[in-house]
Amino acid sequence: MSPAFPLAPERASSVAPEVDALFLFILGVTGIVALGIWVVMLYFAIRYRRRSADDRPPVIEGSLALELTWTIIPLLLMGVMFVWGSKVFFHLNRPPDDAMTVSVVGKRWMWKLQHPTGQREVNELHVPVGRAVKLVITSEDTIHSFFVPAFRIKKDAVPGRYNLAWFQATKTGAYHLFCAEYCGTEHSKMIGRVVVMEPEEYQVWLAGGPAPESPVLQGEKLFTDLNCITCHRMDDAGRGPLLKGIFGRTVKLASGEEIVADAAYVRESILTPAAKVVAGYQPVMPAFQGQVNEEQVLALIAYIESLRTPTPSAPASPAAARTQARGASTR
Ligand code: CUA
C-alpha cells in the first residue's frame, strides 16, 4: 500500500485487523459477484441478440437445478457474513472488564473527555498503548459521532444516552479523531486526535498539569453543593431513597414496574426525577434539568456508583473508603 495513496487508514488497535479482514471478505465477494453479472450481461447481450425481424426465441419453462444453485450459494455466503459479522460486532461492543473508563461528551463543536483519574481534555485524548480503554459516550446537545479510523471505532454520541465503545491501541502515535455525524455549521471542524503513548510516558503525562480531582470526588462535592445530601442521607431516614448500594441493583417503582438503577436511570432521576419515582417515596425532588451539565451528571453518577461497594468491615478512614469505592467502580 503506497503511503502517498493509502487504501485503508493505519491499523492501530487490536480490533483493526479483524474489522479489515471482514471488510475485505465482503468487498471481495460482492466485487466478484458484480463482475460476474457484468460479464454474463455482456455475453448474453451478444449471444442472444435478435438476428432477424421474425426471430422468435424458444420458450423456457425454468430449471429447478438453476433455481436451487442461485438460492443456496448466496445463502451460504450471506450466512458466513452474518456469523462472522456478529462475532466482530460483539467483540467491538463488549469492553473487557479491566478496561479504563474515559467519559466522552460531544458538544457543538468539540469533544470533552475525562480520564478515570480526573484529568480533562478537549479534542485530544492521551492513552497508554496496550491498555483497553472503554469510552462512555454522550452528548450535551445534538447527535455527534466519535470516530477514530485508525482504531476502526465509530459510535454515536446521543443526548440522554450512554453509548459504549472500546479500543486497545497497539501502536504509539497520534491518530485522527473525527465527528462523523453532521451536527451543524462547524461539524467539519469538530476534529481532534488520540495520542497513544508508552505507559511510562502516559504516567508522566498524567502527573503533569494541575492535580485533578477524580470524578467520584467531584460528584461527592456536587452532591453536597446541590443539597442532594439533605434528602438522600446516608442513613435511611431521608426524604429520598437511600443511595448507598443502589447502583446496579433492581429497584421497585411507584408504578409497580421494576428497573435496574444503571447510569441511564440515575441520569434520568437527576434531571427529571418525577419520571420514575421509587415505590414508597413522594415525587418531591426538584428537577435538575438545565442546572447541571452532562459532565456534572457523569460526576454524580460516578459518585453514586462508588457508593455501591459493600463495606464488610468499617474502613479506616473516609479516604480509604473512597479509594476502595473507586477501585470497585472501574472494575
Ligand atoms: Cu459533531 Cu458533527
Side-chain angles (χ1 to χ4, degrees):
M1 231 175 272
S2 131
F5 183 67
L7 290 177
E10 209 171 334
R11 287 186 192 107
S13 78
S14 57
V15 295
E18 268 181 62
V19 174
D20 285 8
L22 175 63
F23 174 75
L24 288 173
F25 173 75
I26 295 176
L27 184 69
V29 169
T30 49
I32 289 167
V33 169
L35 200 68
I37 290 173
W38 293 333
V39 169
V40 168
M41 273 167 62
L42 195 66
Y43 171 74
F44 282 2
I46 297 165
R47 174 80 175 74
Y48 299 109
R49 67 187 185 279
R50 200 171 194 196
R51 283 155 215 263
S52 63
D54 56 356
D55 193 4
R56 292 282 179 276
V59 177
I60 298 168
E61 293 297 339
S63 156
L64 184 66
L66 210 52
E67 293 277 356
L68 286 175
T69 311
W70 69 45
T71 305
I72 291 170
I73 292 177
L75 184 72
L76 290 177
L77 284 171
M78 295 296 154
V80 171
M81 287 179 198
F82 176 76
V83 172
W84 188 352
S86 313
K87 202 173 141 264
V88 175
F89 177 85
F90 285 119
H91 190 195
L92 275 171
N93 282 284
R94 284 198 185 133
D97 291 340
D98 60 350
M100 70 180 231
T101 305
V102 170
S103 67
V104 180
V105 178
K107 189 182 174 206
R108 275 179 289 191
W109 285 278
M110 62 176 90
W111 292 105
K112 298 199 281 184
L113 305 116
Q114 189 175 29
H115 292 252
T117 37
Q119 281 82 357
R120 289 182 186 286
E121 299 193 74
V122 171
N123 292 342
E124 214 167 43
L125 173 62
H126 290 77
V127 291
V129 68
R131 173 90 196 267
V133 178
K134 174 169 111 178
L135 304 167
V136 179
I137 305 168
T138 189
S139 165
E140 188 92 48
D141 36 45
T142 182
I143 302 179
H144 305 275
S145 190
F146 191 92
F147 181 30
V148 185
F151 296 166
R152 308 294 190 272
I153 58 163
K154 185 198 280 169
K155 190 65 102 175
D156 281 0
V158 182
R161 278 189 65 150
Y162 296 114
N163 284 344
L164 296 184
W166 77 278
F167 63 87
Q168 182 171 325
T170 51
K171 265 197 244 178
T172 56
Y175 304 101
H176 287 296
L177 157 64
F178 297 108
C179 176
E181 185 72 57
Y182 182 68
C183 55
T185 320
E186 287 176 35
H187 157 73
S188 62
K189 293 184 192 160
M190 193 166 161
I191 50 177
R193 54 188 203 141
V194 179
V195 181
V196 179
M197 315 166 96
E198 293 295 343
E200 309 81 58
E201 272 182 84
Y202 176 67
Q203 289 308 326
V204 172
W205 179 85
L206 279 182
E213 252 182 347
S214 78
V216 174
L217 283 178
Q218 287 168 18
E220 187 175 15
K221 199 176 275 177
L222 274 169
F223 198 74
T224 310
D225 293 349
L226 296 168
N227 286 325
C228 314
I229 198 155
T230 43
C231 294
H232 295 286
R233 288 172 31 176
M234 287 303 139
D235 52 40
D236 49 10
R239 284 199 292 163
L242 180 69
L243 298 182
K244 191 173 170 145
I246 205 164
F247 196 92
R249 250 187 18 210
T250 303
V251 294
K252 198 165 172 68
L253 302 180
S255 63
E257 197 190 336
E258 292 197 337
I259 193 168
V260 174
D262 57 3
Y265 174 65
V266 173
R267 180 181 182 279
E268 183 183 37
S269 298
I270 295 168
L271 300 180
T272 49
K276 289 183 186 124
V277 178
V278 173
Y281 290 90
Q282 295 301 312
V284 290
M285 176 170 159
F288 284 85
Q289 185 98 61
Q291 300 190 43
V292 284
N293 63 30
E294 290 296 336
E295 285 156 296
Q296 290 172 314
V297 174
L298 282 166
L300 284 166
I301 293 172
Y303 170 62
I304 291 166
E305 190 177 354
S306 78
L307 300 175
R308 170 169 63 172
T309 348
T311 38
S313 57
S317 67
R322 276 200 295 271
T323 317
Q324 212 179 342
R326 221 173 301 147
S329 67
T330 53
R331 210 171 287 147

